[in-house]
Amino acid sequence: MQLTGLKDYQKVDEIPIQYGTAGFRTKGSRLKHVIFRMGALAAIRSACQKGATIGVMITASHNPEEDNGVKLVDPMGEMLGPEWEQYATEIANVPDSEVGTALQKLTKNLGVTTLANSRVVFARDTRPSSPILAEALEAGIKAAGAQCQNFGLLTTPQLHYIVRCINSNGEYGKPTEDGYFEKLTEAFVKLRNIRKAKKMKKLETYKACLYLDAANGVGAGKVPILQSKLGELLQINLVNDGSGKLNHECGADFVKVQQKPPTGVNMAPGQRWASLDGDADRIVFYFIGTTDKQFHLLDGDKIATLVAGYLKDLVQATGLSLNLGLVQTAYANGSSTRYITDQLQVPVACVPTGVKHLHHKAQEFDIGVYFEANGHGTAIVSDTSYSSLKKASQDSTVSEEQKEACDLLLSVIDLINQTVGDAISDLLLVEMILAALDWDVEQWNQAYTDLPNRQLKVKVKDRSVIQTTDAERKASFPKDLQKAIDQSVAKYSHGRSFVRPSGTEDIVRVYAEAVSQDAADKLANEVAVLVFKMAGGLGEEPKLH
Ligand code: 16G
Ligand code: MG
């Protein structure tokens, strides 16, 4: 394949790069050639999907400002399939002189004869390197002979939404940013009006005021649009609105990992706060207790239980037999899993880290709710369940109450971005549920008490020596590591710990939880030392702080 402009997008180094859980992610300065090549690959992917539109998002989410990344979005707004991750890795790493041949070979093997009908849409976040990378992408798409459309600045979930809208011929919504906000806010307004008509107590006590940390990311620019459409229904007070440094001591990842508020914010007890990450696909909530004056985090697990509990009651009210399930990862707090199983009595599955795994598993349910503890998640509804809801909502043999419940559930579904976790959609969903349940943040938090936990990072020579099994809950290599972890865990009441190589950083992650913070810290440290000793640690041995 002849790629015009290839000479402008040559490799800057020979360090191998891999398409991981979040696509390619590294320093923005290393990515121009990778993204140019991904433009061509997206064109091939489109051809393999009978000309369906493929999305490409340029972002490094919660990573520092100098990093960047790229990921491809499949026709229904899903993550790229695993086989194609492999192709992406191969194409990104071939020498400059072999790019054309490698792409040619791939198209031939896949039976692709033309790229002229391929369509690729793309968007970027607010990083300084993003515009130049978007140019590289456009050049790559055009060099492959495909058509493309640049959507400029979007959140990652907005791009996923747009891709699905285009490929469903508008059935999922209008394929524009306006269409996105229209769909979400119309559903939100409708749901709030239904509640108003029912004179829910909450509408008198519900504080429609949210303090939102936008991580100085791409979400910051979108909140005013949301606000303009919601008016008084929800008042959003924006901090880290884009005027500061992206993800610097703020944002969902900082708040979740550090278990503290963004630096510099002034929180009064009882206020409802939330943080987005840099590309607005994650959200966590938090508050200062009115009595204990402590910081409390409402993370992805708390959102998942709130959403699953609400949906379970609603499904029951429809009278339809739809099976609802919840999907988590090993990072889910043990208390949340117990609460879901024992209290909510909703089946729960555990899968490896990474949205694609959760999404895939959630598809096994009629309604699948999935959340990572870090705040990334959504709910998805199978086509047949959606059709039976539509049918029942218009069926004269169905009782009025059940029809109403079907209508309500259909509006809730419209409020949800089913393509991928979406901080803005999740924000509206949580706000709607809290209002519907007449709960403030403290009541929401009381559903269950998180076990204290700690996450640590360990630098090792080669993180791939750590291998895991059982949805990352057990280490299968190095040989005796799991035995040693088990011995440590056994010493702590409610102890649980696991290790896994990060998919986004060159480190091994350690997670531990136990009955007290002190115990969780000690367990995490013990396990970090085990990793350091048994998996080739670099630098100083981890110490307890
Ligand atoms: C990526 C994943 C996220 C996961 C995180 C884990 C997607 C869209 N994003 O950000 O789901 O939690 O990686 O990072 O899949 P880690 O492998 O460095 O722990
Ligand atoms: Mg993100």
Side-chain angles (χ1 to χ4, degrees):
M1 189 186 292
Q2 281 292 342
L3 287 176
T4 322
L6 177 65
K7 63 174 183 350
D8 298 327
Y9 299 101
Q10 306 266 305
K11 281 186 169 187
V12 287
D13 58 50
E14 289 303 326
I15 307 168
I17 184 163
Q18 196 189 352
Y19 196 101
T21 39
F24 292 108
R25 206 177 274 189
T26 181
K27 295 275 164 279
S29 55
R30 289 190 57 217
L31 275 169
K32 247 167 80 176
H33 70 283
V34 174
I35 292 190
F36 175 80
R37 295 172 185 203
M38 286 308 106
L41 187 76
I44 300 174
R45 178 72 179 150
S46 170
C48 286
Q49 298 284 310
K50 304 196 182 79
T53 297
I54 296 295
V56 183
M57 183 70 200
I58 297 172
T59 180
S61 183
H62 58 279
N63 283 39
E65 194 167 80
E66 58 277 17
D67 287 5
N68 217 321
V70 61
K71 49 188 170 187
L72 272 62
V73 180
D74 258 356
M76 281 301 112
E78 291 157 298
M79 303 280 167
L80 189 65
E83 207 178 331
W84 279 76
E85 290 184 0
Q86 193 51 41
Y87 300 152
T89 301
E90 279 163 25
I91 295 298
N93 287 293
V94 292
D96 292 318
S97 58
E98 291 168 27
V99 178
T101 331
L103 288 167
Q104 189 66 45
K105 202 166 131 207
L106 185 63
T107 45
K108 189 160 170 260
N109 289 347
L110 293 166
V112 171
T113 49
T114 174
L115 297 177
N117 303 319
S118 291
R119 281 185 50 93
V120 182
V121 295
F122 61 97
R124 61 181 156 88
D125 72 8
T126 50
R127 285 161 203 275
S129 60
S130 290
I132 242 172
L133 294 176
E135 267 173 37
L137 178 66
E138 184 163 0
I141 301 166
K142 288 188 170 157
Q147 302 156 43
C148 68
Q149 189 177 354
N150 180 355
F151 277 85
L153 290 171
L154 288 182
T155 70
T156 297
Q158 284 182 320
L159 182 73
H160 284 251
Y161 160 89
I162 285 172
V163 170
R164 176 133 164 195
C165 290
I166 295 173
N167 292 311
S168 66
N169 290 321
E171 205 179 289
Y172 193 67
K174 283 191 216 130
T176 57
E177 179 170 78
D178 248 10
Y180 166 88
F181 279 115
E182 223 171 77
K183 180 173 175 181
L184 295 189
T185 55
E186 271 177 17
F188 187 76
V189 171
K190 188 172 165 198
L191 285 159
R192 292 294 300 276
N193 284 341
I194 295 174
R195 297 292 167 187
K196 210 180 253 170
K198 291 192 157 210
K199 295 203 174 53
M200 290 284 297
K201 217 170 30 176
K202 189 69 199 182
L203 293 174
E204 284 125 51
T205 54
Y206 171 67
K207 289 196 212 94
C209 175
L210 175 73
Y211 295 82
L212 185 64
D213 151 33
N216 292 312
V218 69
K222 307 302 177 191
V223 173
I225 310 177
L226 179 69
Q227 181 69 81
S228 71
K229 295 190 189 277
L230 292 177
E232 287 182 347
L233 277 184
L234 181 65
Q235 190 204 322
I236 304 174
N237 298 308
L238 195 58
V239 302
N240 296 319
D241 60 357
S243 49
K245 194 170 176 187
L246 174 72
N247 295 328
H248 182 65
E249 298 193 351
C250 62
D253 194 63
F254 176 85
V255 173
K256 167 70 183 161
V257 175
Q258 304 289 326
Q259 304 187 36
K260 62 182 187 195
T263 303
V265 303
N266 205 352
M267 291 174 70
Q271 286 176 342
R272 190 162 63 253
W273 281 75
S275 284
L276 314 179
D277 74 337
D279 64 337
D281 61 357
R282 289 196 205 173
I283 188 165
V284 294
F285 290 75
Y286 43 96
F287 65 96
I288 304 277
T290 46
T291 334
D292 66 6
K293 308 285 186 270
Q294 299 290 310
F295 172 82
H296 296 276
L297 180 67
L298 295 148
D299 62 2
D301 300 338
K302 286 267 160 129
I303 302 174
T305 49
L306 182 77
V307 172
Y310 176 80
L311 288 179
K312 189 188 172 204
D313 288 348
L314 199 48
V315 167
Q316 214 154 27
T318 65
L320 297 174
S321 61
L322 303 177
N323 81 349
L324 173 84
L326 202 147
V327 187
Q328 302 186 308
T329 70
Y331 286 106
N333 196 277
S335 295
S336 75
T337 314
R338 253 189 304 281
Y339 174 78
I340 297 157
T341 316
D342 301 345
Q343 303 288 314
L344 296 181
Q345 307 206 325
V346 166
V348 48
C350 183
V351 298
T353 303
V355 172
K356 62 182 177 201
H357 300 296
L358 289 112
H359 192 92
H360 189 68
K361 189 73 186 175
Q363 285 172 326
E364 291 178 12
F365 300 99
D366 293 330
I367 300 183
V369 180
Y370 69 81
F371 268 89
E372 291 190 311
N374 63 24
H376 190 130
T378 187
I380 56 177
V381 180
S382 71
D383 288 346
T384 47
S385 312
Y386 190 76
S387 308
S388 24
L389 278 167
K390 277 258 179 220
K391 211 164 124 218
S393 72
Q394 285 148 17
D395 185 340
S396 56
T397 63
V398 171
S399 77
E400 277 312 308
E401 288 82 39
Q402 289 180 341
K403 267 204 262 198
E404 231 176 67
C406 290
D407 255 344
L408 198 57
L409 186 48
L410 285 165
S411 293
V412 175
I413 294 168
D414 274 345
L415 190 57
I416 295 171
N417 185 343
Q418 293 190 56
T419 60
V420 78
D422 181 336
I424 291 177
S425 153
D426 290 339
L427 178 162
L428 293 176
L429 185 62
V430 166
E431 289 295 319
M432 186 279 294
I433 298 176
L434 289 180
L437 297 177
D438 193 14
W439 277 6
D440 58 27
V441 266
E442 308 212 77
Q443 286 163 297
W444 172 17
N445 191 44
Q446 278 155 17
Y448 64 86
T449 307
D450 270 328
L451 281 170
N453 55 88
R454 179 64 62 205
Q455 289 193 42
L456 294 176
K457 302 176 181 185
V458 185
K459 273 197 190 312
V460 295
K461 242 181 270 134
D462 173 11
R463 72 192 195 276
S464 69
V465 300
I466 302 270
Q467 287 167 26
T468 65
T469 176
D470 189 20
E472 301 180 328
R473 288 174 290 193
K474 297 257 176 300
S476 50
F477 201 83
K479 209 173 120 267
D480 293 324
L481 179 59
Q482 188 56 45
K483 212 157 90 198
I485 294 176
D486 289 343
Q487 280 165 4
S488 282
V489 166
K491 294 192 282 187
Y492 296 90
S493 164
H494 284 87
R496 187 170 71 90
S497 180
F498 66 92
V499 302
R500 53 176 283 279
S502 159
T504 61
E505 288 179 64
D506 193 10
I507 46 142
V508 174
R509 291 198 197 280
V510 174
Y511 175 90
E513 64 185 29
V515 77
S516 69
Q517 190 61 55
D518 187 47
D521 289 350
K522 282 193 178 129
L523 177 55
N525 184 258
E526 270 184 41
V527 174
V529 170
L530 290 174
V531 170
F532 186 86
K533 286 188 173 152
M534 299 172 79
L538 290 179
E540 269 184 48
E541 188 172 302
K543 273 199 203 69
L544 193 60
H545 290 288

